[in-house]
Amino acid sequence: MSDRDPDILATAGRTPDRQPLDWHDGDMPYSQKFGDHFYCRTDGRLECGHVFLAGNGLPERWSLGGDFRIGELGFGTGLNFCETWRQWKLFRKPGALLHFMSFELYPMKGDEIGRALSRWPEIEAERKALTAAWPDEPAGRVDLQMDGQTRLTVVCGPAPEGVANAQPGFDAWFLDGFAPSRNPDMWSPELMQAIYGRTVRGGTFGTYAAAGFVRRNLQAAGFTVERRPGFAGKREMLCGRKPEPAE
Ligand SMILES: C[S@@+](CC[C@H](N)C(=O)[O-])C[C@H]1O[C@@H](n2cnc3c(N)ncnc32)[C@H](O)[C@@H]1O
């Protein structure tokens, strides 16, 4: 079966654990295990635009044309993917391919994804397509060809293991673990180094997190790190890039 086959290629693997959820305000998932929401309660879709897209210079970088690979730590509800896919369809150049690869330890069920994303009419088409394609028992590597120019891969399992096994060549990263104090595995020096090593020169990251140890881990890995105003009144977020050799 080819890389671009439209079928789901859920490879055999361990059956992932499930993460017990509470639901706040009807459709806002909350992780009991990590004691945190999956995104900002003000508006997770707009937060995605501010932190992960603008933080990585998107959609502007897409106007240059060419293929583009995004890595994400924490697929969760797929909100970041759906909003990214929506904007990619608006700004992509003909023939350019987006590969969105996300690393997730506790993949959600399709009905949970549908419930969370139903909050946003703006991504209704993307939600429907994602939940229609999503496997009943996500495990291993879930590979979905969402349209002729968009491929989604969700690597189920611990992110450090998934990233270590990923091929280099990422243009941008969405660092979206739970709050660093509650989910340190997603912000460790080793994981930041593995990410750096798989990022192209001039490649970037964006994250809502601003904790000092996250910034230091990213700097120690080799990224130049910039602080920017966070979303919805949050004081800071971080973004940065992997320097070109001459820099
Ligand atoms: C803030 S949520 C991500 C939200 C998501 N990007 C979205 O659009 O809904 C953090 C995610 O990281 C996942 N996670 C936590 N620890 C992990 C680990 N060690 N490896 C991989 N995923 C992990 C959680 O299960 C959760 O889905």
Side-chain angles (χ1 to χ4, degrees):
M1 213 179 255
S2 98
D3 225 11
R4 312 227 70 83
D5 195 287
D7 289 335
I8 298 165
L9 304 175
T11 56
R14 298 185 295 253
T15 303
D17 290 337
R18 305 262 301 129
Q19 171 171 209
L21 299 175
D22 287 337
W23 292 89
H24 294 169
D25 308 327
D27 55 12
M28 170 80 63
Y30 174 88
S31 166
Q32 296 173 8
K33 183 175 174 66
F34 292 96
D36 201 3
H37 289 95
F38 283 67
Y39 29 75
C40 158
R41 296 186 79 175
T42 309
D43 191 322
R45 188 183 70 86
L46 296 180
E47 179 188 33
C48 172
H50 180 89
V51 172
F52 299 111
L53 292 170
N56 277 294
L58 302 173
E60 290 78 5
R61 284 166 75 194
W62 293 333
S63 66
L64 301 172
D67 297 349
F68 203 86
R69 176 137 58 107
I70 293 174
E72 179 186 50
L73 298 189
F75 186 69
T77 66
L79 172 60
N80 287 342
F81 168 69
C82 286
E83 176 61 8
T84 301
W85 185 23
R86 185 187 74 82
Q87 295 211 28
W88 169 245
K89 285 185 279 187
L90 295 174
F91 294 100
R92 65 193 179 189
K93 295 290 183 198
L97 302 177
L98 172 67
H99 189 183
F100 190 104
M101 180 176 281
S102 192
F103 301 89
E104 175 57 58
L105 183 55
Y106 302 112
M108 289 168 77
K109 294 276 195 186
D111 59 346
E112 294 170 331
I113 290 175
R115 179 172 175 179
L117 299 186
S118 64
R119 190 179 190 93
W120 291 282
E122 298 87 347
I123 51 167
E124 188 185 1
E126 291 76 16
R127 169 181 61 82
K128 283 184 174 162
L130 176 62
T131 52
W134 192 247
D136 291 340
E137 299 292 342
R141 186 182 159 107
V142 178
D143 234 325
L144 304 172
Q145 191 69 41
M146 303 308 296
D147 65 34
Q149 290 179 253
T150 313
R151 177 182 174 195
L152 168 66
T153 301
V154 180
V155 181
C156 302
E161 191 180 305
V163 172
N165 290 325
Q167 293 295 319
F170 289 89
D171 298 286
W173 286 95
F174 296 1
L175 306 182
D176 198 18
F178 284 121
S181 57
R182 298 170 189 198
N183 193 190
D185 291 358
M186 290 287 258
W187 309 95
S188 70
E190 296 77 15
L191 184 52
M192 298 303 117
Q193 278 158 22
I195 283 170
Y196 183 85
R198 283 155 188 78
T199 304
V200 300
R201 293 275 171 199
T204 57
F205 73 84
T207 179
Y208 73 90
F213 82 88
V214 171
R215 181 166 43 80
R216 288 189 292 276
N217 291 350
L218 286 159
Q219 284 169 329
F223 286 106
T224 53
V225 179
E226 180 190 341
R227 298 173 185 173
R228 288 193 189 168
F231 177 70
K234 198 162 179 279
R235 200 161 61 89
E236 282 183 350
M237 57 166 273
L238 301 176
C239 55
R241 64 197 290 272
K242 177 166 175 167
E244 305 284 353
E247 289 178 50

